[in-house]
Amino acid sequence: MKNTGLRIAWIVPNVFLYLTALGLLSFIIVFADGLLEINRFVIYVILFVLLLFINLICSFRIASWIKQGKM
């Protein structure tokens, strides 16, 4: 395994971003009624989708770097 420290430095924050997305999703589900009342539901859903999209891009980038031998 090459650059174990570098892999950890990229993978650990990526895992935390997935946990953040999971927490945001649970927040949206729990407080959906209140968010709908104050017209913020759509904003939070868009925020969740963007966060998940960024996480997926980062995961694919990390996987491609590992396959290429950069990490």
Side-chain angles (χ1 to χ4, degrees):
M1 240 161 103
K2 288 180 157 182
N3 296 327
T4 306
L6 184 61
R7 285 185 186 191
I8 291 172
W10 278 96
I11 292 173
V12 169
N14 197 20
V15 169
F16 282 127
L17 281 176
Y18 277 110
L19 292 174
T20 303
L22 184 63
L24 181 60
L25 179 63
S26 63
F27 175 82
I28 292 170
I29 291 170
V30 169
F31 296 110
D33 292 334
L35 292 172
L36 285 168
E37 286 179 14
I38 62 171
N39 296 325
R40 296 290 187 247
F41 183 77
V42 175
I43 293 172
Y44 277 90
V45 170
I46 291 171
L47 183 67
F48 170 72
V49 170
L50 289 174
L51 181 61
L52 192 61
F53 182 69
I54 291 169
N55 288 345
L56 291 173
I57 289 173
C58 289
S59 295
F60 287 124
R61 180 183 295 166
I62 290 168
S64 69
W65 284 342
I66 290 173
K67 286 180 184 177
Q68 293 173 1
K70 292 182 180 179
M71 286 182 26

